[in-house]
């Protein structure tokens, strides 16, 4: 009995150590693996239709992969390239003082009502020249930091290309062998079959809700905001549109953090037509997109309170970068699902 116990513990220890080593080996490309899994889940219905139509797994997987490249990879690469060019141009203009932050701030200060100016003075913010110098210095440091990181970004291009290749290569096999891989994981899982099935189902539903729902809504809101900025003559419309799209991923925050202050600046600057137009579009169009589309796109797939989604999203982004907007809610949803299963078992027992 003792020998059997030692052998069992040794085998479990070996399994844990080998698994940990394998996970450590994959960590440099966890983002590629994550997005390959996400795209495989989202485009799985397309793969099934192609498989039934052509009757070959390789053909269906290849066509599904081509669809992912055309729908996701190529447009995303074009947007990233344009965004990098626009951001570089804006930072260069700030660095060379072509984009005069001081005059812009002075214009806003002159347009403020007297009681607001008195309030700023009571808070020790009445010296506009000091504020101008601080803001200009901050913008200069930001531009300098961006220029210093340009070399690092260029050196990371090869890493990006390799990660993209790993993602596409893995995606093909996830399309082709995804079902058999899921069955293998289910057989190897030490949990009961119903536990494993529910966790798999929750994982897939959270991925669909987070990406299909939140990302589509963010893209729509960012596109509307960026186009509106371009129409009223705000510089770097693409940059602000992407920023609005990113902020739209956060519940209760949203794109208003970008278009709201810009609309206020335009109104204070005396450009009432542009300011009111941006305010109207932001409130009636951008603000309503979330209320109208989220129930249709997300539905009940992500049954989490808004405050849980917000905290998990912010926490995920702080830990994992941009990938955190998926990983954060995913961990939160799996946490709720596992504890719900545990609670149900305790109630039954």
């Amino acid at each position: 009995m003792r020998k059997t116990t030692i052998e069992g513990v040794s085998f479990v220890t070996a399994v844990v150590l080998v698994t940990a080593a394998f996970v450590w080996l994959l960590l440099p490309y966890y983002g590629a693996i994550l997005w390959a899994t996400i795209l495989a889940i989202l485009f799985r219905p397309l793969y099934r239709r192609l498989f039934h139509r052509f009757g070959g797994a390789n053909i269906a997987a290849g066509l599904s992969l081509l669809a992912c490249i055309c729908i996701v990879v190529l447009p995303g690469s074009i947007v990233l390239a344009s965004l990098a060019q626009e951001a570089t141009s804006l930072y260069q203009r700030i660095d060379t003082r072509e984009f005069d932050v001081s005059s812009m701030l002075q214009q806003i200060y002159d347009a403020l009502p007297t009681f607001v100016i008195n309030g700023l003075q009571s808070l020790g913010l009445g010296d506009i020249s000091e504020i101008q110098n601080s803001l200009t210095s901050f913008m200069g440091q930001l531009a300098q930091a961006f220029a210093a990181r340009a070399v690092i970004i260029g050196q990371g291009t090869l890493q990006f290309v390799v990660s993209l290749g790993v993602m596409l290569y893995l995606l093909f096999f996830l399309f082709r062998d995804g079902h058999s891989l899921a069955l293998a994981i289910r057989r190897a899982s030490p949990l009961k079959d119903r536990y494993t099935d529910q966790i798999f189902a929750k994982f897939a539903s959270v991925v669909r809700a987070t990406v299909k729902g939140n990302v589509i809504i963010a893209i729509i809101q960012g596109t509307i905001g960026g186009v509106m900025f371009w129409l009223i003559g705000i510089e770097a419309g693409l940059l602000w549109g992407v920023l609005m799209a990113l902020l739209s991923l956060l519940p209760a925050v949203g794109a208003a953090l970008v278009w709201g202050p810009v609309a206020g600046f335009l109104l204070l600057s005396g450009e009432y037509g542009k300011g009111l137009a941006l305010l109207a579009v932001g409130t009636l169009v951008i603000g309503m997109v979330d209320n109208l589309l989220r129930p249709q796109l997300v539905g009940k797939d992500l049954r989490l309170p808004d405050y849980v989604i917000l905290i998990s999203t912010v926490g995920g982004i702080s830990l994992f970068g941009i990938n955190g907007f998926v990983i954060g809610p995913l961990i939160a949803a799996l946490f709720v699902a596992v504890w719900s299963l545990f609670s149900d078992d305790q109630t039954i027992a």
Side-chain angles (χ1 to χ4, degrees):
M1 178 67 69
R2 179 178 178 80
K3 181 179 180 181
T4 304
T5 303
I6 294 175
E7 289 177 349
V9 171
S10 300
F11 180 72
V12 171
T13 303
V15 170
V16 171
L17 291 176
V18 171
T19 303
F22 183 69
V23 171
W24 174 73
L25 185 67
L26 298 180
L27 279 179
Y29 297 101
Y30 87 92
I33 298 171
L34 172 68
W35 283 103
T37 306
I38 290 173
L39 292 176
I41 293 173
L42 294 180
F43 285 83
R44 189 70 184 175
L46 174 63
Y47 168 79
R48 289 174 179 170
R49 287 196 294 269
L50 292 173
F51 178 80
H52 291 308
R53 180 169 182 177
F54 295 101
N58 288 326
I59 296 176
L63 292 176
S64 300
L65 180 63
L66 182 61
C68 289
I69 293 174
C70 295
I71 296 174
V72 178
V73 177
L74 289 180
S77 300
I78 294 173
V79 170
L80 285 176
S82 302
L83 179 63
Q85 182 179 2
E86 192 166 284
T88 303
S89 176
L90 179 62
Y91 280 121
Q92 286 176 347
R93 295 188 63 189
I94 293 174
D95 192 33
T96 58
R97 305 296 175 89
E98 182 181 350
F99 184 76
D100 195 349
V101 179
S102 299
S103 62
M104 181 184 69
L105 188 62
Q106 183 66 55
Q107 188 177 3
I108 296 176
Y109 190 84
D110 293 339
L112 292 175
T114 304
F115 72 91
V116 176
I117 296 177
N118 293 335
L120 290 175
Q121 290 177 346
S122 64
L123 295 174
L125 300 175
D127 189 355
I128 186 64
S129 61
E130 184 178 346
I131 298 176
Q132 288 175 345
N133 293 333
S134 299
L135 185 58
T136 303
S137 175
F138 171 75
M139 289 293 187
Q141 292 174 1
L142 192 62
Q144 185 178 3
F146 183 83
R149 291 180 180 271
V151 176
I152 301 177
I153 294 173
Q155 292 174 346
T157 302
L158 179 59
Q159 178 72 16
F160 173 78
V161 172
V162 173
S163 297
L164 181 61
V166 170
M167 184 195 76
L168 296 177
Y169 183 76
L170 176 61
L171 181 57
F172 174 84
F173 289 100
L174 288 179
F175 279 134
R176 195 189 70 175
D177 306 324
H179 181 68
S180 59
L181 180 61
L183 291 178
I185 295 175
R186 186 175 184 267
R187 287 195 302 268
S189 173
L191 302 176
K192 295 179 181 179
D193 288 346
R194 71 181 186 91
Y195 291 167
T196 304
D197 292 341
Q198 290 190 38
I199 291 174
F200 275 3
K202 176 59 70 173
F203 179 88
S205 66
V206 171
V207 167
R208 286 193 297 267
T210 303
V211 179
K212 181 190 70 176
N214 295 346
V215 171
I216 291 177
I217 292 171
I219 290 174
I220 294 174
Q221 290 183 322
T223 301
I224 295 173
V227 170
M228 188 62 194
F229 273 37
W230 175 72
L231 289 175
I232 62 178
I234 301 295
E235 295 188 32
L238 177 62
L239 180 63
W240 298 120
V242 171
L243 183 58
M244 280 186 274
L246 292 176
L247 290 174
S248 297
L249 297 171
L250 302 177
V253 179
L257 284 179
V258 178
W259 63 258
V262 174
F265 166 72
L266 292 173
L267 292 173
L268 290 174
S269 301
E271 300 187 47
Y272 301 112
K274 293 181 179 179
L276 292 174
L278 181 57
L279 186 62
V281 171
T283 304
L284 301 178
V285 181
I286 298 177
M288 293 300 294
V289 164
D290 186 79
N291 297 329
L292 294 176
L293 294 184
R294 189 174 297 277
Q296 302 297 325
L297 295 175
V298 178
K300 297 181 180 179
D301 285 343
L302 195 58
R303 296 170 183 169
L304 293 175
D306 284 346
Y307 62 87
V308 175
I309 299 176
L310 175 62
I311 295 173
S312 61
T313 302
V314 174
I317 292 175
S318 65
L319 290 175
F320 304 102
I322 190 62
N323 295 325
F325 84 89
V326 176
I327 299 176
L330 177 62
I331 293 175
L334 292 178
F335 171 82
V336 172
V338 169
W339 276 97
S340 296
L341 291 174
F342 179 77
S343 176
D344 292 343
D345 274 2
Q346 294 297 106
T347 302
I348 294 174

